[in-house]
Amino acid sequence: MSESSLFSDSHPDPALAEIDAYLCGEMPAAQARAFESRVAADAALARALEAQRHAQLSLRRAFSPPAPPTLPATPPSPAAPATPVAPALAAGKLAWLTKQWAIAIALALVATTAITITTVSRRGGGGAAAPIDPLTAFAAASSDGFKPSIPLSDPNELSLALSTKLARRVEAHDGNGVHFLGLRTGVGGTPMAIGVLATVGDSRVLLIADLADRSAPDHPAASVECRPPMHRHERVAKGLKLTEISTSPAPLLLDHFSVD
Amino acid sequence: MTENNADKAFDFATHFRQAHRALWLVAAAIVWNPSDADDVMQEAAIIAVGKIDSFQPGTNFKAWMAQIVRNVALNHRRHVQRQDRRWGGRVDVHAIETAAKPQKTASPVWPDGSLNPMQDAIDDRLMSALKALDPVVRSCVLLRCVEELGYPEISRLLGIPAGTAMSHVFRGRALMAATLAKGEAVRE
């Protein structure tokens, strides 16, 4: 990218336009593959892409929208009038109801803000049911050196803790270079979501176990989204959604868990 | 309460939830502070409920609500600026922290998957650079980079042409790239 193009609004750098479309998932698959090949061969383009990815991560860490407030579906109802009211009175009543509605919303929002403040202060922690972003989730888990809040390296102890927290019988299995580090909260998903930190060989792996809809059909491990350098793989088993995030293009940890 | 108003109340709650993330980013882009953005969202929601009768069902709720959020956020910003002038400004804790940190930059997530320990300093530098931009430019950048909205959607939300939204995003992206490159140069 040329220096002269940095602030040219009318003629944006074509490489920047491509990077923008690629990072926002607006590039068709074939074009994205061709772009990735060019990135692999062009160091300047690779640096430009890395800078934009880096900037997006920073923005997401700094400005992670909180979970939307739970507002009452209907305003609090006052005592219902026993007899029909005249139109003029009805209009007055309506204005009063609007105030009631506003107060109800204000209370709901204030309650939500208390939760939001703790979420924002953790920097990168998503909202209550925010979709899991691979980069943000991994950054949150790595923010203090990939340390678990509950250290558990023994698979049996880890299984017991997971089963207790998720109200499902979950069994974790090591082997094949898998070394469990422990559990960690605040990694995204619903409030019930719990993160499992592990290393597989030299790779650090975050697995997020989250309760899915019980009627959700089981599906085996599949790569649902790739945002290099991080990859995301998902599996649903017995109403439990397992999301693995690591730098590996293939799942490393997903199949080391069984759910009953 | 009439049935019609009950419907409207229900619609507001549902639509507000659906639009919340994008609207919060619009507020955050203007006031440039997550806590202030929360305050703006509260105030905007209360104002919107009071004006719900002026919303035409079938039109774009998000755009209607975004207009209110923008106005509230701009008022909030002016209020803060007036207070800053009167009381000599807030203490910029971020600036103090940044000055105390080593000015280095590198990839946010390293090849082994760990987070760059300098990430906070990098974030602060990027935020300071973006703070100098116009709030509309910042809104476009946040809606695109955080929420990954398409340009037509950003255009509707902010009431600007899609081409303008695109050039604003490119301007912000170029600034961020230049800021990161400057950090690299300092490191080398």
Side-chain angles (χ1 to χ4, degrees), chain A residues 189-214:
Chain A
T190 70
M192 291 296 288
I194 184 93
V196 177
L197 304 185
T199 56
V200 183
D202 292 334
S203 300
R204 291 174 170 188
V205 184
L206 166 67
L207 183 131
I208 301 173
D210 202 356
L211 296 180
D213 183 352
R214 272 191 183 272

Side-chain angles (χ1 to χ4, degrees), chain A residues 35-82:
Chain A
F35 178 72
E36 282 162 5
S37 306
R38 280 175 41 221
V39 168
D42 182 344
L45 186 59
R47 272 199 305 276
L49 175 62
E50 186 54 33
Q52 291 304 326
R53 188 178 280 136
H54 189 158
Q56 282 201 189
L57 174 65
S58 292
L59 285 176
R60 285 176 184 170
R61 276 163 50 88
F63 292 102
S64 175
T70 305
L71 302 178
T74 51
S77 53

Side-chain angles (χ1 to χ4, degrees), chain A residues 50-217:
Chain A
E50 186 54 33
Q52 291 304 326
R53 188 178 280 136
H54 189 158
Q56 282 201 189
L57 174 65
S58 292
L59 285 176
R60 285 176 184 170
R61 276 163 50 88
F63 292 102
S64 175
T70 305
L71 302 178
T74 51
S77 53
T83 52
V85 290
L89 278 176
K93 190 92 175 168
L94 214 57
W96 182 80
L97 279 179
T98 304
K99 273 186 197 162
Q100 288 274 319
W101 217 141
I103 291 164
I105 284 180
L107 288 173
L109 285 167
V110 167
T112 309
T113 306
I115 299 163
T116 304
I117 289 166
T118 57
T119 308
V120 169
S121 68
R122 272 190 275 120
R123 263 198 147 178
I132 295 167
D133 175 79
L135 281 175
T136 310
F138 204 87
S142 299
S143 60
D144 57 2
F146 211 68
K147 284 183 188 154
S149 40
I150 308 169
L152 288 169
S153 56
D154 180 75
N156 292 328
E157 289 178 5
L158 189 83
S159 303
L160 184 64
L162 273 177
S163 302
T164 307
K165 284 185 177 295
L166 296 165
R168 299 274 199 290
R169 191 175 166 196
V170 182
E171 280 191 35
H173 311 280
D174 55 6
N176 287 337
V178 171
H179 174 65
F180 292 113
L181 302 173
L183 301 178
R184 183 163 177 146
T185 54
V187 287
T190 70
M192 291 296 288
I194 184 93
V196 177
L197 304 185
T199 56
V200 183
D202 292 334
S203 300
R204 291 174 170 188
V205 184
L206 166 67
L207 183 131
I208 301 173
D210 202 356
L211 296 180
D213 183 352
R214 272 191 183 272
S215 60

Side-chain angles (χ1 to χ4, degrees), chain A residues 6 20 54 58 60-61 113 138, chain B residues 42 106 113 120 123 148 151 174:
Chain A
L6 282 180
D20 178 68
H54 189 158
S58 292
R60 285 176 184 170
R61 276 163 50 88
T113 306
F138 204 87
Chain B
Q42 285 185 27
D120 283 349
D123 289 356
E148 296 187 357
Y151 290 110

Side-chain angles (χ1 to χ4, degrees), chain B residues 69-141:
Chain B
V69 169
R70 282 204 306 276
N71 289 338
V72 173
L74 287 168
N75 283 339
H76 186 94
R77 190 161 160 255
R78 276 193 285 269
H79 176 71
V80 168
Q81 284 170 343
R82 266 201 306 273
Q83 280 194 325
D84 284 355
R85 275 198 298 274
R86 191 174 300 159
W87 301 107
R90 297 175 177 181
V91 176
D92 191 345
V93 178
H94 282 294
I96 295 168
E97 284 178 352
T98 309
K101 286 174 185 167
Q103 298 295 297
K104 286 184 178 179
T105 185
S107 175
V109 182
W110 288 354
D112 69 351
S114 61
L115 188 80
N116 178 0
M118 294 292 114
Q119 187 61 42
D120 283 349
I122 296 164
D123 289 356
D124 290 342
R125 233 177 22 248
L126 276 175
M127 296 313 129
S128 298
L130 287 172
K131 194 180 178 184
L133 294 178
D134 184 270
V136 179
V137 179
R138 292 201 303 247
S139 301
C140 293
V141 171

